[in-house]
Amino acid sequence: MSPRDGDLLLPISPSPHRPITAFWAGLLVVSGALLLTGCSGKKSGPPPAVPVLAAPVEVRPVPILINAVGTVEPIQSVAVRTQVGGAVTRVGFVEGQDVKAGQLLFQIDPRPYQAALNQANAQLARDKAQAANAQTQAKRYGDLAAKDYVTQEQNDAAKTQAEALSSVVSADEAAVEEARLNLSYASVTAPVAGRAGAALIKLGNVVKANDATLAVINQIDPIRVSFAIPSDRLPDVQRYRSMGDLPVSVWPSRDRQSEPVKGTLTFVDNAVDNATGTVTLKAEFPNPQGLLWPGQFVDADLTLAVQKDAVVVPQAAVVTGQEGTFVYVIKADGTVEKRPVKVARTVDGISVVQGELVAGQQVVTDGQVRLMPGAKVELKSSLAAGAPAAVPAAAGEKKGS
């Protein structure tokens, strides 16, 4: 078949029995059908809302704190020792018992010391009698010497004898006092009030003077906590301490589940530890219930001051990015906006921040990893209930902004 006028001539034809115009017509029909099919399909909707958790921005008083790990220590700790030797005839306390100052703890056999006191008293009585006789003799010789009945030498000898016996009496009185002290030392009493530890010497043991510790007494109420702070915080402590007493709170349990014990800062060390770069501080606490125990580790907060109008958000709301820290603020239309903030400090999971935030605004606390500015969000609590979340309008945000 010879080509007709208007037919398009190509080097290769799809079919030797069909004109080339029929081939292109079929191709156009298929393409048009595909194009119509694509245009007639449904348009893709907006991306689904991201489920998040949120919390409001608050303005409230927040303390300025210095946190440290402290060690409980007694204000007074006494290792009880005996000042005389002998056999222990009595133990006057129960191990672990609270004792009062002056309470009998141990009794050393007093009989040798009582005998020594009796002997010293007898010696004193004898020498007092001799001294009295010597004084009488000296007076008599003085009267006789005035009448030249005796020589001056005899008179001087009588005076010397009287003075010597008077000195002997003074020495005997000192010996009696020493014997009386030794007898009193046989009764070992508590020098301070506090909690007694274990009895390190048992009934019937023989002890030597200042040879061994009989027991240890620790003052429990009041009690002290020692802790160290970085030396660069020392100027703050000194500045605020000059305005008044600084409160200190400690938690006997490191998880802070119990109520804190509250006391007052009483001591700031006079030097910085060069090895650690820290300064030692001590606070005193009432401890009637024995919540704090010597040697115990506690979590301590030193309160320097209270910032009255601090802007706070949950610590989980603050995100760190390449440009710094920021939060996602939920706007009235349910979308989020990135707001840069500067974290001043964090206290108990609450961050004190500086930035363009207003009390009542909602900030995202969970789910930020899936967000970007302008993303739509839904609250997880509402999603869990099976209903779409209506995000409340944040304070200071205009509807539709």
Side-chain angles (χ1 to χ4, degrees):
M1 179 182 298
S2 62
R4 292 175 300 177
D5 293 331
D7 288 341
L8 180 64
L9 299 180
L10 293 175
I12 301 177
S13 174
S15 172
H17 307 288
R18 182 178 300 173
I20 192 65
T21 53
F23 168 76
W24 284 106
L27 183 60
L28 290 174
V29 169
V30 173
S31 300
L34 291 175
L35 182 60
L36 291 176
T37 301
C39 295
S40 63
K42 293 183 179 180
K43 295 183 179 180
S44 59
V50 178
V52 297
L53 292 178
V57 178
E58 297 181 10
V59 176
R60 61 177 177 173
V62 178
I64 302 174
L65 302 176
I66 299 179
N67 178 260
V69 176
T71 304
V72 181
E73 58 184 34
I75 295 178
Q76 296 187 81
S77 181
V78 180
V80 179
R81 298 193 178 195
T82 177
Q83 295 179 270
V84 295
V88 177
T89 59
R90 181 186 173 191
V91 177
F93 72 101
V94 178
E95 294 179 325
Q97 173 188 2
D98 288 327
V99 297
K100 299 179 180 179
Q103 178 178 334
L104 178 68
L105 301 180
F106 297 90
Q107 180 65 62
I108 309 298
D109 187 0
R111 292 174 296 176
Y113 303 103
Q114 183 64 58
L117 176 60
N118 295 339
Q119 182 180 4
N121 281 324
Q123 183 76 22
L124 174 62
R126 185 193 68 181
D127 292 339
K128 277 185 174 182
Q130 292 179 352
N133 180 63
Q135 289 290 343
T136 303
Q137 290 288 346
K139 186 178 183 303
R140 185 182 297 118
Y141 270 83
D143 294 340
L144 293 175
K147 299 177 181 179
D148 292 331
Y149 291 150
V150 295
T151 64
Q152 187 63 36
E153 182 179 358
Q154 289 175 319
N155 183 34
D156 293 341
K159 288 183 178 180
T160 301
Q161 181 67 15
E163 292 174 358
L165 288 176
S166 178
S167 298
V168 170
V169 170
S170 297
D172 290 342
E173 290 174 344
V176 170
E177 184 63 27
E178 182 181 8
R180 186 177 290 111
L181 281 174
N182 288 335
L183 178 60
S184 67
Y185 291 153
S187 299
V188 182
T189 59
V192 296
R195 180 64 62 92
L200 304 179
I201 297 295
K202 306 303 181 183
L203 183 65
N205 290 160
V206 177
V207 295
K208 296 180 181 179
N210 297 314
D211 182 56
T213 299
L214 308 183
V216 177
I217 299 176
N218 289 330
Q219 182 178 347
I220 302 297
D221 184 24
I223 204 165
R224 233 180 237 147
V225 172
S226 173
F227 56 97
I229 65 170
S231 58
D232 59 358
R233 301 303 304 273
L234 180 59
D236 294 334
V237 174
Q238 292 174 327
R239 182 173 71 256
Y240 287 110
R241 194 185 185 197
S242 65
M243 304 176 187
D245 293 336
L246 298 183
V248 180
S249 300
V250 299
W251 284 262
S253 57
R254 297 299 304 278
D255 57 5
R256 296 198 178 203
Q257 295 301 314
S258 59
E259 287 295 322
V261 181
K262 298 183 179 181
T264 304
L265 183 68
T266 57
F267 169 80
V268 177
D269 204 356
N270 59 1
V272 176
D273 188 338
N274 292 330
T276 61
T278 59
V279 180
T280 300
L281 278 61
K282 294 183 180 181
E284 189 171 314
F285 299 83
N287 194 36
Q289 298 179 350
L291 298 177
L292 302 178
W293 213 247
Q296 181 182 16
F297 290 102
V298 294
D299 210 14
D301 280 349
L302 170 62
T303 302
L304 300 179
V306 176
Q307 182 179 350
K308 294 183 179 180
D309 299 323
V311 179
V312 298
V313 298
Q315 183 180 3
V318 181
V319 182
T320 302
Q322 295 180 351
E323 300 177 354
T325 53
F326 63 90
V327 296
Y328 281 111
V329 175
I330 303 177
K331 300 196 298 184
D333 60 358
T335 61
V336 294
E337 180 182 10
K338 183 188 291 188
R339 297 278 180 87
V341 295
K342 182 179 180 181
V343 179
R345 62 187 184 278
T346 299
V347 180
D348 295 333
I350 300 296
S351 295
V352 179
V353 296
Q354 299 173 355
E356 296 181 0
L357 296 179
V358 179
Q361 289 179 325
Q362 296 285 326
V363 292
V364 178
T365 59
D366 183 68
Q368 299 98 318
V369 69
R370 300 175 58 188
L371 297 180
M372 63 175 52
K376 191 80 172 179
V377 296
E378 289 179 300
L379 297 181
K380 287 183 179 180
S381 58
S382 299
L383 292 177
V391 180
E397 294 284 358
K398 296 181 180 179
K399 187 174 180 180
S401 58

